[in-house]
């Protein structure tokens, strides 16, 4: 059997789970045996306390994750496709890159990085579209021990600039532009704007994709292709991988929290590798030869873990798609599945719901018989979407895994294992071995038994969990480990049914989940408040048929003589400029005041209810400073 740690029956799951709880160190030490280490884990496998917090897995062991993702497959599987790349335009030729070729590209680009001065530990910001060079850039950083920080191609110059500063990044890898559906995104221009006033970035490497004109700054900007050619001409096809400690940082990925500023979640080499691989092999029940299609963008954690590191460390074939599900038409996913005989499809409920909107016509005459396993991630899936996926895509013979996890988790924490443990629509079901969830009430008291709900926490470390937030460990502590003593708090609410299966009900903090993207309400408010005419704003989420949650903004606006619709347009533009189009409010309501307590705190609960369409039961409003404002807001609801 290719993966000796692949769980094949429900009983085996129960045994593995029990062992993982009784002796977590021995459990993970056994799994770690199946990787390539320069120096194997030995002695203390785990050091931890959630107080500081301090989490160390396999410390002292040495490895390079790229030797696990590339080198170790070369001898037997060098010609196996590592990446199948489907471009945005269905008429453009796809690319199929074998492990041998990918290894060569990564080694060469690692030389390019070195030639340009990148050293172990340097932070490299990657802002690219979904082309194979993005995966190559990530792996090349890992090869030489540089810390990559990928920023999703939809973020604005301002967002990039903040992230560059926070990470003190010294290098950037980008593209001239990126294709996304009918759009053409000028990435390099955005980078140029982000770099105005920046003093830390020494070099920008620009990869060609859309061929839109870009300005190259002498001494700072170089072309990917020219740099690669130079390395190739010198015959530099191999580079020795940098030996890393298991606890050396592998990457930073910024994500939104309930405070205004996104935080840089830090993952390390050893634990992250073991956990993404273990979860990939078990949740998706991957078998060699299968084609795994994760539709996420590599700019998010799902792409990091289940397009790049999980599949590649397992020697799998990972399909990477540059476009969007609805362009040029809503049959795009189905065509890709038939074209490459995809076996595993892993996508977001928001994509399923948007495709549902087109009915089943785009599925007519599509074969889809290669599909064996379906997955969802990123947000709760409603039962209707679950059944539509099951009936029309999986034709009722593909197990669906509903995978719950977070950027901070590195990999899937709660999910059924495809075809091995039971599925239940809209339930993530059971924790993976090594994961110990508990529900607590407001006061942090454990809610025991079944048929209960509470705030979801994890009480024991797993190898893939975050270690810190970059440059600010205290922030990591207060965000995740201070709400409840000795627990990692997820920010999600959950219920546990009569069988002990978990259903994630959504965020209980001020974080929105819009089309599976995490956005902090405070972040959006800060952006809206940047507009000169805005006095104050309050942002809440409301249920949205396709996006899961929509963004509703209440704004106090003081713009003399400005037409309301123009002012709203202006505000949307401001948000796009400060964060990116993904954070644009769906609805903006101008109000003359916000419901506040006498101490000046905005009562979001009331605003949330009104945005949801509730007019009667607004709960206790007796502490309001000016109850009249609520009536006005109710009347003006959009
Ligand atoms: C939500 C994405 C319900 C949840 C991997 C979490 C989910 C946040 C699920 C993390 C799921 C993710 N069911 N909710 N299967 N998966 N979530 O960091 O609220 O982008 O806290 O990581 O998405 O989003 P993030």
């Amino acid at each position: 059997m290719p993966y000796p740690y692949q769980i094949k029956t429900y009983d085996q799951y129960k045994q593995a789970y029990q062992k993982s709880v009784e002796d977590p160190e021995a459990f993970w030490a056994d799994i770690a045996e199946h990787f390539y280490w320069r120096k194997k884990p030995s002695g203390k496998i785990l050091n931890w306390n959630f107080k500081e917090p301090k989490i160390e897995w396999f410390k002292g062991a040495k490895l390079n994750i790229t030797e696990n993702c590339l080198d170790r497959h070369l001898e037997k599987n060098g010609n196996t496709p590592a990446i199948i790349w489907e471009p945005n335009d269905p008429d453009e030729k796809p690319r199929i890159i074998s492990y041998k070729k990918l290894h060569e590209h990564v080694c060469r680009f690692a030389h390019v990085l070195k030639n340009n001065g990148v050293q172990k530990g340097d932070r490299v910001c990657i802002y690219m579209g979904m082309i194979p060079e993005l995966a190559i850039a990530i792996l090349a950083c890992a090869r030489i021990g540089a810390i990559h920080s990928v920023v999703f191609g939809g973020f604005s110059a301002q967002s990039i600039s903040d992230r560059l500063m926070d990470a003190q990044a010294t290098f950037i890898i980008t593209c001239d532009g990126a294709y996304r559906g009918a759009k053409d995104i000028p990435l390099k221009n955005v980078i140029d704007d982000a770099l105005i006033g920046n003093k830390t970035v020494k070099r920008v490497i620009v990869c060609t994709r859309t061929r839109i004109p870009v300005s190259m700054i002498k001494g700072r900007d170089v072309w990917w292709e020219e740099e690669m050619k130079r390395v190739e001409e010198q015959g530099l096809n191999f580079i020795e991988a940098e030996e890393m400690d298991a606890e050396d940082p592998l990457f930073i990925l910024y994500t939104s929290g309930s405070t205004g500023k996104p935080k840089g979640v830090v993952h390390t080499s050893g634990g992250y590798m073991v956990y993404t691989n273990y979860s990939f092999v078990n949740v998706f029940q991957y078998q060699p030869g299968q084609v795994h299609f994760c539709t996420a963008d590599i700019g998010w954690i799902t792409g990091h873990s289940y397009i790049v590191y999980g599949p590649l460390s397992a020697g799998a074939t990972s399909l990477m798609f540059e476009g969007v599900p609805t362009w040029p038409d809503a049959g795009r996913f189905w065509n890709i599945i038939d074209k490459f005989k995809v076996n595993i499809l892993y996508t977001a409920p928001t994509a399923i719901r948007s495709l549902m909107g087109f009915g089943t016509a785009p599925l007519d005459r599509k074969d889809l018989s290669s599909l064996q396993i379906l997955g969802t991630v990123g947000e709760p899936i409603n039962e209707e979407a679950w059944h539509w996926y099951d009936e029309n895509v999986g034709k009722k013979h593909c197990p669906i895994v509903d995978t719950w996890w977070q950027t901070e988790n590195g990999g899937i924490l709660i999910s059924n294992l495809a075809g091995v443990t039971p599925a239940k629509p809209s339930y993530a079901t059971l924790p993976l071995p090594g994961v110990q969830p508990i529900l607590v009430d407001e006061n942090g008291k454990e809610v025991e038994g079944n048929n209960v709900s509470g705030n979801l926490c994890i009480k024991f470390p797993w190898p893939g969990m975050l270690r810190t937030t970059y440059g600010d460990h205290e922030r990591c502590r207060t965000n995740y480990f201070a709400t409840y003593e000795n627990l990692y708090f997820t920010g999600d609410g959950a219920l546990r049914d009569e069988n002990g299966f978990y259903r994630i009900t959504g965020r209980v903090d001020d974080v929105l989940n819009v089309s599976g993207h995490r956005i902090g309400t405070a972040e959006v408010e800060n952006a809206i408040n940047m507009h000169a005419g805005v006095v104050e704003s309050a942002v809440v989420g409301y249920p949205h048929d396709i996006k899961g949650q929509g963004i509703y903004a209440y704004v106090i606006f003081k713009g003399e003589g400005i037409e309301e619709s123009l002012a709203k347009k202006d505000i949307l533009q401001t948000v796009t400029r400060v964060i990116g189009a993904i954070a644009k409010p769906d609805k903006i309501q101008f109000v003359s005041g916000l419901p506040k307590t006498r101490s000046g705190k905005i009562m979001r609960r009331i605003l949330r209810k009104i945005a949801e369409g509730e007019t009667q039961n607004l709960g206790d409003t007796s502490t309001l400073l000016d109850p009249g404002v609520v009536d006005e807001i109710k009347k003006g609801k959009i």
Side-chain angles (χ1 to χ4, degrees):
M1 197 169 85
Y3 311 110
Y5 47 92
Q6 192 172 53
I7 294 164
K8 301 308 293 179
T9 65
Y10 198 6
D11 273 344
Q12 277 176 20
Y13 161 78
K14 288 176 190 157
Q15 283 159 20
Y17 190 80
Q18 197 183 351
K19 181 173 175 201
S20 79
V21 172
E22 282 169 2
D23 194 350
E25 294 191 47
F27 178 82
W28 289 111
D30 280 356
I31 309 282
E33 284 288 320
H34 302 282
F35 294 81
Y36 174 71
W37 302 86
R38 295 274 185 93
K39 179 171 177 274
K40 285 192 170 200
S42 62
K44 198 100 187 80
I45 296 297
L46 167 68
N47 274 306
W48 76 288
N49 72 69
F50 278 172
K51 257 204 168 57
E52 296 176 51
K54 171 173 163 174
I55 299 117
E56 291 172 344
W57 282 95
F58 315 117
K59 194 168 165 82
K62 306 287 178 196
L63 78 155
N64 185 291
I65 195 167
T66 69
E67 289 187 325
N68 286 274
C69 289
L70 300 168
D71 305 58
R72 71 167 171 156
H73 308 310
L74 295 185
E75 198 184 321
K76 284 200 184 121
N77 292 312
N79 295 321
T80 300
I83 293 178
I84 298 177
W85 177 70
E86 169 69 9
N88 183 57
D89 181 348
D91 293 330
E92 189 182 338
K93 231 173 120 231
R95 281 165 66 186
I96 296 178
I97 304 171
S98 67
Y99 273 94
K100 205 161 139 246
K101 272 282 163 207
L102 185 61
H103 178 260
E104 199 176 291
H105 292 315
V106 169
C107 284
R108 283 199 189 129
F109 194 64
H111 275 295
V112 167
L113 291 176
K114 283 220 151 161
N115 287 349
N116 280 280
V118 184
Q119 290 178 1
K120 180 176 178 175
D122 286 343
R123 274 81 53 219
V124 179
C125 169
I126 302 180
Y127 186 66
M128 299 173 84
M130 282 285 285
I131 54 175
E133 283 69 19
L134 167 52
I136 293 166
I138 286 176
L139 292 165
C141 286
R143 187 82 176 175
I144 63 169
I147 302 169
H148 58 78
S149 178
V150 183
V151 177
F152 173 63
F155 280 113
S156 69
Q158 182 65 52
S159 298
I160 299 166
S161 163
D162 292 346
R163 287 160 171 75
L164 289 172
M165 289 273 277
D166 190 80
Q168 291 287 296
T170 38
F171 297 87
I172 295 180
I173 308 167
T174 188
C175 296
D176 49 359
Y179 294 122
R180 198 174 304 131
K183 289 197 203 119
D184 194 331
I185 301 143
L187 298 178
K188 174 61 166 58
N189 282 349
V190 179
I191 288 293
D192 288 340
D193 287 348
L195 285 178
I196 294 170
N198 178 293
K199 296 212 166 53
T200 53
V201 172
K202 297 184 228 164
R203 180 115 327 155
V204 181
I205 302 176
V206 186
C207 183
T208 308
R209 174 63 184 133
T210 61
R211 298 190 182 275
I212 53 156
V214 296
S215 55
M216 297 291 280
I217 308 255
K218 214 194 258 160
R220 190 194 74 185
D221 303 349
V222 295
W223 288 106
W224 172 298
E225 292 76 11
E226 284 174 12
E227 297 294 300
M228 282 294 256
K229 205 159 142 223
R230 192 163 319 138
V231 164
E232 211 173 318
E233 280 165 6
Q234 291 166 356
L236 298 171
N237 296 329
F238 177 78
I239 195 165
E240 193 61 52
E242 188 75 35
E243 187 170 289
M244 308 296 285
D245 191 279
E247 277 300 321
D248 281 338
L250 173 64
F251 67 85
I252 304 170
L253 188 59
Y254 283 86
T255 190
S256 295
S258 44
T259 50
K261 214 173 105 210
K263 31 187 194 279
V265 167
V266 176
H267 285 288
T268 55
S269 297
Y272 176 81
M273 169 182 78
V274 170
Y275 197 75
T276 50
N277 177 290
Y278 182 78
S279 53
F280 172 74
V281 162
N282 279 296
V283 171
F284 300 104
Q285 289 289 303
Y286 186 82
Q287 297 302 320
Q290 286 183 326
V291 177
H292 173 80
F293 177 17
C294 166
T295 71
D297 192 291
I298 292 180
W300 309 111
I301 191 70
T302 305
H304 279 63
S305 299
Y306 299 110
I307 296 178
V308 183
Y309 288 114
L312 297 183
S313 66
T317 297
S318 182
L319 196 152
M320 182 175 171
F321 172 43
E322 186 186 33
V324 296
T326 49
W327 191 87
D329 59 53
R332 195 69 173 101
F333 278 0
W334 324 133
N335 289 338
I336 295 175
I337 290 164
D338 284 352
K339 184 166 168 186
F340 299 106
K341 305 271 172 287
V342 168
N343 306 106
I344 305 168
L345 173 67
Y346 187 34
T347 194
T350 190
I352 299 169
R353 286 192 299 263
S354 100
L355 291 170
M356 263 170 81
F358 292 86
T360 52
L363 284 147
D364 288 348
R365 290 184 301 281
K366 307 291 186 230
D367 179 35
L368 305 188
S369 64
S370 58
L371 282 177
Q372 295 173 323
I373 283 150
L374 304 176
T376 71
V377 60
E379 48 180 322
I381 181 161
N382 48 314
E383 286 201 38
E384 195 193 351
W386 195 97
H387 287 293
W388 189 89
Y389 199 31
D390 183 37
E391 282 158 30
N392 298 293
V393 183
K395 317 282 187 204
K396 294 203 128 206
H397 69 77
C398 300
I400 299 179
V401 288
D402 177 350
T403 67
W404 172 82
W405 58 297
Q406 314 175 293
T407 304
E408 295 84 348
N409 306 160
I412 298 162
L413 293 196
I414 304 184
S415 172
N416 48 319
L417 311 182
V420 171
T421 64
K424 178 172 176 182
S426 82
Y427 279 72
T429 72
L430 295 169
L432 263 66
V435 177
Q436 302 188 34
I438 81 165
L439 298 177
V440 298
D441 67 15
E442 300 284 286
N443 306 316
K445 193 170 165 313
E446 180 166 3
V447 182
E448 285 174 282
N450 289 341
N451 272 322
V452 291
S453 61
N455 290 345
L456 179 62
C457 295
I458 316 283
K459 66 177 173 195
F460 195 85
W462 63 99
M465 78 185 296
L466 88 163
R467 302 300 195 258
T468 187
T469 47
Y470 193 81
D472 194 349
H473 193 63
E474 177 58 12
R475 192 151 177 232
C476 174
R477 191 187 70 80
T478 51
N479 259 286
Y480 306 106
F481 300 93
T483 317
Y484 304 114
E485 206 180 334
N486 284 326
L487 296 174
Y488 164 82
F489 178 40
T490 65
D492 279 316
L495 57 85
R496 190 165 52 218
D497 77 358
E498 62 284 2
N499 300 313
F501 289 4
Y502 287 89
R503 174 186 189 159
I504 313 302
T505 45
R507 303 287 305 197
V508 294
D509 53 7
D510 288 323
V511 173
L512 306 178
N513 194 328
V514 181
S515 301
H517 300 151
R518 261 167 84 167
I519 300 168
T521 53
E523 236 178 297
V524 184
E525 286 164 8
N526 288 347
I528 293 175
N529 297 347
M530 301 280 266
H531 190 288
V534 172
V535 179
E536 198 178 3
S537 65
V539 165
V540 297
Y542 71 96
H544 187 289
D545 283 350
I546 291 173
K547 297 178 172 186
Q549 264 188 317
I551 304 179
Y552 198 115
Y554 299 91
V555 175
I556 306 177
F557 191 79
K558 287 269 152 57
E560 291 295 306
I562 302 177
E563 206 184 301
E564 188 168 317
S565 65
L566 268 183
K568 286 184 180 171
K569 240 196 211 148
D570 254 20
I571 291 175
L572 292 181
Q573 242 174 35
T574 307
V575 175
T576 307
R577 201 168 40 76
V578 177
I579 307 176
I582 53 168
K584 272 199 305 197
D586 299 273
K587 296 182 179 181
I588 299 177
Q589 180 182 346
F590 283 172
V591 295
S592 68
L594 292 167
K596 288 189 179 170
T597 60
R598 282 181 198 92
S599 58
K601 213 169 133 2
I602 298 175
M603 292 186 74
R604 287 165 187 285
R605 174 173 53 80
I606 294 177
L607 294 174
R608 222 175 281 133
K609 286 224 158 142
I610 298 175
E612 283 166 9
E614 176 71 63
T615 50
Q616 301 305 318
N617 303 314
L618 295 181
D620 181 13
T621 52
S622 62
T623 53
L624 274 180
L625 183 64
D626 172 15
V629 90
V630 174
D631 289 327
E632 178 213 309
I633 293 175
K634 275 202 291 201
K635 276 201 205 97
K637 178 177 180 301
I638 296 170

